[in-house]
Amino acid sequence: MRAEVRAGLPAELTARTAVLLRQVLARVEAAGEEALASLDLSGREYGVLALLVHDDAARNQRHLGAALGIDRTTTMKLMAGLESRGLVERGPDPADRRSYRLVATDAGRALCARADLVLSACDDAITDGRLDEHEVVVLRDLLRRLV
């Protein structure tokens, strides 16, 4: 991939942060989805697994959906698919009987670890030759501050 801005966009658009972020996001998402397909996993499914594995607070569907920015119906469909594959278990939440407690299974944790490696390689491929290690650290820090 080349570091060029998509051909045909005037300077007035490429001066806009949103336009640049949208272009980078599209490239990063496409690369990630392609890489995750080799693991039979979508980006959204990875997001669910990663939150369950890496975030102790992500233990119910409501929190999970809010953290990922997805609606309740989509969250339920993702959970059902991951549960049917033995990657996630859900059961009653002792703190809230109206909610499910979510846990990544050992198989889900193993798949998440493999996906973490695959996506790290994608990150490296996106920035390789364009940004040095320090610039990558600065970029991530700046993006975290914007989130």
Side-chain angles (χ1 to χ4, degrees):
M1 288 184 224
R2 297 187 40 90
E4 299 172 354
V5 174
R6 190 172 295 167
L9 289 179
E12 292 81 9
L13 286 180
T14 61
R16 302 283 176 233
T17 303
V19 171
L20 295 173
L21 286 173
R22 197 172 301 117
Q23 287 192 353
V24 172
L25 177 62
R27 287 179 42 209
V28 170
E29 281 185 335
E33 289 291 343
E34 183 178 330
L36 288 172
S38 68
L39 300 175
D40 192 27
L41 197 64
S42 72
R44 283 187 167 180
E45 290 171 327
Y46 167 76
V48 169
L49 280 178
L51 274 174
L52 291 177
V53 169
H54 301 299
D55 181 358
D56 289 335
R59 293 295 181 234
N60 68 49
Q61 287 181 216
R62 192 173 326 122
H63 174 85
L64 201 65
L68 292 173
I70 54 179
D71 61 65
R72 182 178 179 198
T73 302
T74 303
T75 303
M76 289 172 39
K77 287 179 183 177
L78 287 168
M79 288 304 306
L82 292 169
E83 187 177 30
S84 72
R85 294 169 53 193
L87 302 172
V88 171
E89 293 176 344
R90 55 183 165 173
D93 186 343
D96 182 356
R97 290 184 293 157
R98 298 169 297 159
S99 185
Y100 288 108
R101 180 167 168 72
L102 310 171
V103 179
T105 64
D106 289 342
R109 289 180 177 283
L111 182 59
C112 185
R114 289 176 35 218
D116 286 341
L117 293 174
V118 165
L119 292 176
S120 288
C122 281
D123 284 354
D124 292 345
I126 292 288
T127 59
D128 188 40
R130 293 174 185 86
L131 302 175
D132 64 32
E133 286 183 40
H134 174 72
E135 290 170 325
V136 171
V137 170
V138 170
L139 174 63
R140 288 180 181 153
D141 181 54
L142 291 170
L143 292 171
R144 281 186 201 101
R145 288 169 46 195
L146 290 173
V147 172

